[in-house]
Amino acid sequence: MRYAMAVDTKKCVGCSDCVVACQTENNVPIGFCRDWVVETMAGSYPQLEIEIRSERCNHCANAPCVRCCPTGASHFDTGGIILVKQNKCIGCGACIASCPYDARYPHPDGYVDKCTFCVQRIRNGMPPACAAVCPTKCIYFGDLDDPNSDVSLVLKKRKFKTLIPEAGTDPKLYFLI
Amino acid sequence: MKEELFVSGRINHLVDPYLNIWHWQIPLYLFLGGMAAGILCIAALYYLRGREKDYYTAVRITPFLAPILLVLGLVALFIDLRHKLYFWKLYTNIRLQSPMSWGAWTLMVITPVSFIWSALHIRDIFPRWDWKYKWIYEIEKFFNKYKRALAWVMLIYGIILGIYTGILLSAFNARPLWNTSILGPLFLASGLSAGAAATLLLSKNPAERKQFARIDLVIIGIELFLIIHMFMGYLASTQVQIEAARMFLGGDFTMSFWIFAVILGLLVPALLEILELGKVHIPAVVPPVLVLFGSLMLRFIIVHAGQVSRWLY
């Protein structure tokens, strides 16, 4: 099983509902976020191109955060999801420095926190909160090893990219272009 | 033109607008650990080569600084942790891929070794020292018997400690400035020169001082070579590393790096030591203090600038 997520940059309108849903579902402390929306504007007026992306932890298959963690708190869980064991994390910050996507942050309680693909939901057969609330249904989630999952189907049909593939992290967050 | 912005307003504390997760604690520790590594390596090396009499200060006196520096460094590291009560988890896990795990275990070996080495020479500082209990004398006798083995451990773990302070940073692919394997040797060289500077400060023997001024000069030469080599590497690499190098070649860190770390920390002490070897009178404390200052600044600047450097997407 390899969980992955695909975000349709053509359908995303940048409403930030995914961000609020995540903060609510996961009780993210005020002032922090596990996912965020980036808007890229390229070209010059009137030939402008906009790309909107809902970004989060890429749950990389070759994850630098797991590699550099000195205690094994950052680990690969079932389905390749990267989680942090709170009672193993010493809060040294190595994983935060190691992430090229800056997807992690120090939780005010001391441990390091990040997107979990909402494990508590997906283990009960529900999609992650961000995917569930998206008003334009632009977030696809599923198992890459299952050819009939939402994410496999959409990746077969559409062109996609990943962020900073040259960092060698083998990310599992795809952007449909 | 390409412009990127967080429309949802990501302002994660210590991560945005640029990474600022490591403050003064980490560079201070890298300096203290590197200096302790340098002191212990030099002491072990001269002891193993049978030069204890010629370099009495370096082998028997300067190592007293090492346990103090290491404990201060460990305190700094502990202050840096955000989930402090769980720090012991470092010692219930061995993670071969994590430089920080290597460092934690190395400190676990070299800190006690530095204490034992100092204890074996305690009568050089307090001539009438008494251990009070018989069993401590037994332990002292045991370690005196195996002092050569102890020196080997000290030498090998000293090198690992010195190099690891650089590798800790260079293992981070996400920060292009750190992502160069030159940092390991550079920090080791800088630690060795700080160790030599400590002996220069403490020694009263002119022959020993002369030898350590020479050692310092050679290491400063190596450091300059490594720094030039590092920038050649950045400029011949990918766009992100070119951008990282630009922070030092006209960017925000240009002044601090070249003035404090390179000119005041390397070139001026090298010049003063050359003059001193050429019999010009220079106040004895000036070159080693400048070397220590430069070594400290190098760590502060590299740790800070590295966090500012990033991938662009």
Side-chain angles (χ1 to χ4, degrees), chain B residues 82-136:
Chain B
R82 288 176 180 76
H83 219 198
K84 291 188 171 51
L85 295 179
Y86 293 83
F87 82 97
W88 53 274
K89 294 274 181 184
L90 279 170
Y91 296 109
T92 53
N93 295 279
I94 295 182
R95 307 262 315 150
L96 293 179
Q97 284 188 312
S98 161
M100 206 178 265
S101 180
W102 275 84
W105 285 100
T106 303
L107 285 168
M108 191 70 154
V109 173
I110 201 154
T111 312
V113 168
S114 74
F115 271 99
I116 295 168
W117 190 265
S118 303
L120 290 181
H121 303 130
I122 191 123
R123 286 183 201 85
D124 293 354
I125 293 201
F126 305 104
R128 286 189 295 175
W129 184 269
D130 181 12
W131 286 116
K132 296 240 178 7
Y133 298 101
K134 198 169 162 243
W135 57 272
I136 303 184

Side-chain angles (χ1 to χ4, degrees), chain A residues 41 43 66 68 92 97 102, chain B residues 1 3 5 7 22 95 98 175:
Chain A
M41 180 127 28
V66 174
C68 75
C92 65
D102 284 338
Chain B
M1 186 212 75
E3 202 179 63
L5 57 124
V7 282
W22 285 342
R95 307 262 315 150
S98 161
R175 314 294 151 194

Side-chain angles (χ1 to χ4, degrees), chain A residues 128-151:
Chain A
C130 52
V133 299
C134 180
T136 62
K137 306 253 181 294
C138 78
I139 301 179
Y140 302 84
F141 179 79
D143 176 9
L144 283 180
D145 287 341
D146 171 7
N148 294 318
S149 69
D150 286 353
V151 72

Side-chain angles (χ1 to χ4, degrees), chain A residues 56-73:
Chain A
R56 59 191 56 54
C57 170
N58 285 253
H59 295 274
C60 309
N62 180 19
C65 51
V66 174
R67 215 182 310 136
C68 75
C69 177
T71 65

